[in-house]
């Protein structure tokens, strides 16, 4: 039986799912499915061979996209900071500052996770750095193993939402919105997430204080200027780098790509100041950056092959018909999309979701009059759960890789569950309270253009008998 145009989008999507379940690399699966159905569509007359002539232009557009240059810059910055000792300085000082209160080490991990997220933009750097430094200390002083592993993994995932998140860069590109707007919209949810995490630790310290004990007196350093200087010495360079990266974007002084380049230079300067800079460090950071950037570009090229053919067989109309008819209008669409993304994150990385699924959802969201910046930030919050899903969450893999042998994998997985629910709670808060995102966006002058009137003096009267003068 010859397939009709109406079922081709469903066949393409199903074919992609089969390839992914078989374990083929995502980038090559996207290319293979796209080209296979592209050639079939040409034979069946759904479009001509000239239509695929758009493919080289689209690939060139990806490779020449200045915005995507921000990805290697921010990745390089995070890779350098991961190795330059900044996390150690921040955790030691902050841990001592909060050490006297129950849950003090957990508070320090959350705060430092947010700071590292704001200057590195990579989950791996945050989880590995904090896991290697704080997990042995938490184990030594009697922290519940599930609380300790959960707070380290969850605090690392703050990086996904807090600017300069790589996910927000990719989502801005896919949704056609400026990265500056995406970063501004993510400020509110980032603060809410930190407060939710700290509120959970506060609740544990009240109802089960034995699980998050304070540091014993012999482990505390004397209070005074020396401790504050240690904290300031770790905080100030970080704050300067955050302003260098984010402040210049928000003030309109630099594009995300330029800010990322300044951030990479700033990371090298911090490594030199901390006397941790070596050519080996730089070479390893550049190698890691090259690997991640190549992965992103290959996935994006594969996605553009798939999407070109998918659009050619009217796949966008198929998706729009499926989603626009959901009961509940905007609310029904948002509930379905977030449940779909949540379960999809069990199997796919956030880059893969952003490149494959988001371009299919964006036109429907726009037709339903949903603010795309708000929609992108909401998806970003949801996609960060992909790092915490047992048993495939990458944050859990990173933590398992550096945790001592006595830490059981079961404790790591169960420890992630409460934090996963906190992340889902943030999704619900952002849906119920859109102003948590839109409040931080540029709201213009506040003047309704329709109410503007221009009062100009009337022109002088014309004398019909006047003789024109030519000069």
């Amino acid at each position: 039986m010859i397939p009709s145009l109406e079922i081709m989008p469903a066949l393409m999507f199903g074919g992609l799912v089969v390839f992914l379940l078989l374990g083929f690399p995502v980038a090559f699966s996207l290319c293979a499915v796209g080209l296979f159905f592209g050639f079939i569509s040409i034979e069946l007359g759904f479009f001509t061979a000239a239509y695929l002539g758009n493919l080289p232009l689209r690939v060139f557009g990806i490779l020449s996209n200045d915005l995507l240059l921000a990805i290697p810059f921010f990745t390089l910055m995070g890779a350098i900071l991961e190795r330059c000792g900044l996390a150690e300085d921040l955790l030691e000082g902050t841990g001592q500052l909060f050490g006297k209160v129950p849950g003090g080490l957990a508070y320090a991990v959350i705060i430092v996770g947010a700071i590292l997220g704001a200057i590195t933009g990579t989950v791996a750097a945050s989880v590995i750095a904090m896991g290697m430094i704080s997990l042995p200390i938490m184990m030594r002083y009697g922290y519940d193993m599930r609380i300790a592993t959960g707070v380290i993994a969850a605090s690392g995932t703050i990086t996904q939402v807090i600017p300069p998140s790589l996910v927000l860069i990719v989502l801005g590109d896919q949704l056609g919105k400026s990265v500056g707007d995406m970063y501004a919209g993510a400020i509110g949810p980032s603060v809410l997430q930190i407060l939710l995490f700290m509120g959970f630790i506060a609740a544990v310290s009240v109802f089960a204080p034995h699980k998050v004990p304070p540091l014993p007196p012999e482990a505390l350093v004397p209070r005074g200027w020396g401790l504050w200087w240690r904290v300031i010495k770790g905080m100030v360079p970080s704050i300067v780098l955050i302003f260098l990266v984010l402040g210049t974007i928000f003030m309109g002084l630099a594009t995300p790509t330029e800010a990322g380049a300044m951030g990479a230079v700033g990371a090298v300067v911090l490594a030199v100041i901390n006397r941790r800079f070596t050519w080996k460090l730089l070479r390893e950071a550049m190698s890691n950056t090259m690997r991640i950037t190549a992965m992103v570009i290959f996935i994006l090229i594969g996605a553009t092959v798939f999407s070109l053919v998918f659009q050619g067989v009217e796949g966008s109309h198929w998706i729009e018909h499926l989603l626009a008819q959901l009961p509940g209008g905007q609310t029904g669409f948002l509930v379905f999309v977030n449940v779909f993304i949540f379960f999809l994150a069990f199997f796919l990385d956030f880059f893969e979701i952003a490149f494959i699924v988001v371009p299919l959802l964006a036109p429907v969201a726009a037709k339903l009059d949903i603010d795309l910046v708000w929609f992108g930030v909401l998806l970003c919050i949801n996609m960060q759960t992909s790092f915490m899903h047992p048993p495939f969450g990458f944050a859990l893999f990173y933590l398992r890789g550096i945790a001592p042998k006595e830490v059981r994998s079961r404790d790591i997985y169960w420890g992630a569950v409460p934090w996963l629910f906190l992340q889902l709670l943030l999704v619900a808060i952002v849906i119920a309270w859109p102003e948590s995102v839109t409040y931080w966006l540029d709201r213009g002058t506040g003047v309704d253009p329709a109410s503007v009137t221009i009062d100009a003096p009337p022109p002088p009267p014309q004398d019909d008998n006047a003789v024109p003068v030519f000069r």
Side-chain angles (χ1 to χ4, degrees):
M1 183 181 68
I2 299 176
S4 63
L5 180 62
E6 288 75 15
I7 67 170
M8 283 295 286
L11 291 176
M12 281 192 69
F13 205 79
L16 179 61
V17 171
V18 170
F19 266 80
L20 295 178
L21 291 177
L22 290 175
F24 284 97
V26 174
F28 302 120
S29 298
L30 287 165
C31 278
V33 172
L35 291 176
F36 176 75
F37 280 93
F39 294 139
I40 289 179
S41 299
I42 292 173
E43 290 297 322
L44 296 177
F46 297 146
F47 51 74
T48 65
Y51 180 75
L52 290 184
N54 295 307
L55 188 56
L57 298 176
R58 294 180 67 143
V59 173
F60 179 77
I62 293 170
L63 299 179
S64 60
N65 189 342
D66 289 340
L67 175 62
L68 295 179
L69 275 176
I71 294 176
F73 284 135
F74 283 124
T75 305
L76 179 62
M77 181 178 72
I80 294 173
L81 292 172
E82 176 188 344
R83 297 166 172 81
C84 77
L86 182 65
E88 290 93 328
D89 296 339
L90 287 170
L91 276 170
E92 287 176 8
T94 312
Q96 286 289 335
L97 199 62
F98 288 91
K100 294 180 66 175
V101 300
L105 287 177
Y107 291 133
V109 167
I110 294 171
I111 293 172
V112 173
I115 294 173
L116 288 179
I119 60 178
T120 64
T122 55
V123 172
S126 299
V127 173
I128 291 172
M130 292 189 297
M132 294 181 67
I133 301 163
S134 60
L135 184 56
I137 300 174
M138 289 180 163
M139 294 169 61
R140 185 186 314 150
Y141 295 117
Y143 265 65
D144 180 85
M145 190 61 67
R146 294 182 180 180
I147 296 292
T149 56
V151 72
I152 291 171
S155 300
T157 62
I158 295 176
T159 302
Q160 287 296 97
V161 179
I162 194 167
S165 164
L166 295 181
V167 185
L168 292 172
I169 296 175
V170 173
L171 287 173
D173 178 68
Q174 295 299 303
L175 294 171
K177 296 296 180 180
S178 76
V179 176
D181 284 345
M182 299 295 293
Y183 282 174
I187 292 175
S190 301
V191 174
L192 287 173
Q193 182 162 68
I194 295 169
L195 294 177
L196 284 174
F197 285 178
M198 296 184 76
F200 175 73
I201 293 297
V204 173
S205 65
V206 171
F207 296 104
H210 63 281
K211 293 186 176 182
V212 286
L215 290 177
E218 62 271 15
L220 295 171
V221 300
R223 285 327 195 233
W225 174 245
L227 175 59
W228 283 104
W229 172 247
R230 182 188 297 185
V231 175
I232 292 172
K233 187 174 66 172
M235 291 284 188
V236 170
S238 306
I239 293 172
V240 171
L241 190 57
I242 290 171
F243 173 76
L244 190 67
V245 174
L246 299 180
T248 52
I249 295 176
F250 293 149
M251 295 172 63
L253 301 177
T255 65
T257 301
E258 294 164 347
M262 289 190 293
V265 174
V268 173
V269 172
L270 279 183
V272 172
I273 292 174
N274 289 338
R275 298 180 181 179
R276 304 289 180 89
F277 180 81
T278 62
W279 291 113
K280 181 182 178 182
L281 178 150
L282 183 61
R283 185 167 57 252
E284 290 176 350
M286 294 175 69
S287 175
N288 185 50
T289 301
M290 180 178 64
R291 183 169 59 253
I292 292 176
T293 305
M295 177 196 73
V296 172
I297 295 300
F298 269 106
I299 292 175
L300 188 50
I301 290 175
T304 200
V305 174
F306 180 87
S307 65
L308 178 66
V309 178
F310 195 72
Q311 297 288 344
V313 296
E314 299 183 0
S316 59
H317 298 298
W318 178 69
I319 293 289
E320 185 177 319
H321 177 74
L322 287 178
L323 299 182
Q325 304 302 320
L326 290 171
Q330 285 187 356
T331 304
F333 170 77
L334 291 172
V335 170
F336 171 81
V337 165
N338 279 282
V339 171
F340 178 61
I341 293 291
F342 176 77
F343 285 104
L344 201 61
F346 274 90
F347 310 103
L348 296 181
D349 182 61
F350 66 92
F351 278 125
E352 296 157 2
I353 295 174
F355 289 141
I356 300 172
V357 180
V358 172
L360 305 179
L361 300 176
V364 183
K367 188 173 182 179
L368 292 173
D369 200 27
I370 295 174
D371 185 281
L372 290 185
V373 173
W374 176 81
F375 184 64
V377 173
L378 178 66
L379 293 184
C380 181
I381 298 168
N382 196 332
M383 283 193 286
Q384 75 172 330
T385 62
S386 67
F387 283 88
M388 296 291 290
H389 280 315
F392 301 112
F394 281 103
L396 309 182
F397 287 159
Y398 299 144
L399 189 57
R400 175 69 276 175
I402 55 93
K405 294 181 179 179
E406 56 266 31
V407 178
R408 294 177 296 182
S409 297
R410 181 175 62 185
D411 288 332
I412 294 177
Y413 292 145
W414 279 110
V417 172
W419 306 91
L420 192 58
F421 280 108
L422 290 175
Q423 291 173 337
L424 294 177
L425 176 60
L426 181 60
V427 172
I429 291 173
V430 171
I431 292 177
W433 186 30
E435 291 79 10
S436 61
V437 174
T438 58
Y439 177 82
W440 302 93
L441 299 177
D442 182 10
R443 292 173 289 176
T445 61
V447 177
D448 182 7
S451 65
V452 176
T453 59
I454 300 176
D455 295 324
Q462 297 291 327
D463 185 358
D464 294 337
N465 299 321
V467 179
V469 177
F470 297 96
R471 296 183 183 275

